[in-house]
Amino acid sequence: MKDLQFSRHRRLRSSATMRSLVRETYLRTEDFIYPLFILEGENKKNEVKSMPGVYQLSMDNLKAEMDEVVGLGIKSVLLFGVPDEKDECGTQAYHDHGIVQVATRYIKENYPEVIVVADTCLCEYTSHGHCGLIENGDVDNDSSLELLVQTAVSQAQAGADIIAPSNMMDGFVAAIRAGLDEAGFHNIPIMSYAVKYASAFYGPFRDAADSTPQFGDRKTYQMDPANRLEAIREAESDVDEGADFLIVKPGMPYLDIVRDVKNNFNLPVVIYNVSGEYSMVKAAAANDWIDEERIVMEMLTGMKRAGADLIITYHAKDAARWLKEQ
């Protein structure tokens, strides 16, 4: 045995302190962006059936939620609106008193240090559930851009720190950047859903946001899950058009795409750990099939290791608690 030559990698795994000393990837609570679903009306706190621990909240319940979020050290929230009224044009998305605008004003007045990211889309507000205007049975790209610009400007006027357009229309970053600049919001960054796949992992979100398409699907504007090079084309367009952050959505099945985007562009990369990923973990944990804490922390660490700078995740509050305990 004395002449046998091999490497002793276990030397750096010999104790918890040693493993911590050489650890390459760290999670921080500051990395998390926590999604919130805001309802119109009063005295509403509806748990999303397919997303245990996630709630649709009316404005009078937002204070308690924000107190908890801030108390856990989470610095950023992503707002989605669930309006009472919907129409073909998604009017409530860009109304001055739309639910996201109202929630944004409240948060910025009462928790000014929190970063408010406003989801900029029409699907939660349209009667047909699609992300743009319908003409001749299909989503019309260019006319939809006009309403998305109105939505972004309205959200910025309400105090949103970051505009996050998720619609996947061609030219959406260029149009929104021009609209924000024209309205005087030169310093409001765009967190583009640059690489968004037509994924089966969004199902529970559509329960939370009440945004299921009433006909067809979103495959003509969201990406084919089989494609990799297309992700680079999409991200490159958004960079050229003025994006400040690049989102890859979903998360776990697309870690290769996260690494590709990180390697090719020098903007902050955001991964969206989506509803289906969250719900599967919750369901397995409820049946005692997995150790929820270890699974979640391993997943989130893997997302950081793949190249994500920030993580949008429904696990944010639990993960923040676990990080404090560690």
Side-chain angles (χ1 to χ4, degrees), residues 81-273:
V82 187
D84 283 342
E85 297 181 5
K86 303 188 179 194
D87 58 33
E88 291 186 358
C89 300
T91 304
Q92 292 301 312
Y94 45 89
H95 196 288
D96 288 344
H97 299 291
I99 189 60
V100 163
Q101 288 80 353
V102 171
T104 298
R105 291 188 187 99
Y106 175 82
I107 293 172
K108 295 309 298 183
E109 288 172 4
N110 294 278
Y111 308 89
E113 73 284 4
V114 171
I115 294 291
V116 173
V117 184
D119 179 81
T120 306
C121 197
L122 301 179
C123 62
E124 300 109 293
Y125 307 93
T126 53
S127 53
H128 46 74
H130 279 284
C131 302
L133 295 177
I134 303 298
E135 292 189 12
N136 300 318
D138 194 14
V139 177
D140 184 73
N141 194 91
D142 294 7
S143 60
S144 299
L145 293 179
E146 298 176 14
L147 297 186
L148 292 165
V149 170
Q150 290 184 47
T151 301
V153 171
S154 176
Q155 292 168 338
Q157 289 171 337
D161 298 288
I162 299 173
I163 299 300
S166 59
N167 52 87
M168 288 297 285
M169 297 296 109
D170 290 337
F172 70 99
V173 172
I176 289 172
R177 183 72 270 160
L180 289 172
D181 289 351
E182 185 177 345
F185 295 108
H186 305 278
N187 294 324
I188 299 295
I190 295 175
M191 181 181 286
S192 170
Y193 285 70
V195 181
K196 183 177 179 180
Y197 286 89
S199 172
F201 283 88
Y202 302 150
F205 172 89
R206 292 171 183 171
D207 294 337
D210 189 23
S211 62
T212 302
Q214 297 304 298
F215 67 90
D217 54 41
R218 294 178 177 147
K219 292 180 180 179
T220 65
Y221 47 101
Q222 294 178 1
M223 292 170 51
D224 185 340
N227 290 355
R228 184 175 185 177
L229 296 179
E230 184 182 7
I232 301 302
R233 296 197 299 271
E234 286 279 359
E236 186 174 29
S237 294
D238 288 3
V239 172
D240 291 344
E241 292 171 16
D244 301 282
F245 302 80
L246 300 172
I247 297 176
V248 176
K249 180 181 182 183
M252 287 299 293
Y254 298 92
L255 296 183
D256 59 323
I257 307 300
V258 174
R259 175 46 60 187
D260 285 344
V261 172
K262 185 67 173 179
N263 287 347
N264 281 277
F265 305 100
N266 61 2
L267 295 180
V269 176
V270 185
I271 191 170
Y272 200 141
N273 176 210

Side-chain angles (χ1 to χ4, degrees), residues 30 155 277:
E30 292 85 352
Q155 292 168 338
E277 300 166 53

Side-chain angles (χ1 to χ4, degrees), residues 2-19:
K2 66 180 181 179
D3 295 326
L4 191 62
Q5 299 294 315
F6 57 89
S7 299
R8 294 200 177 268
H9 300 291
R10 292 180 59 187
R11 291 170 182 155
L12 301 185
R13 305 172 192 152
S14 59
S15 68
T17 304
M18 182 67 75
R19 292 189 294 274

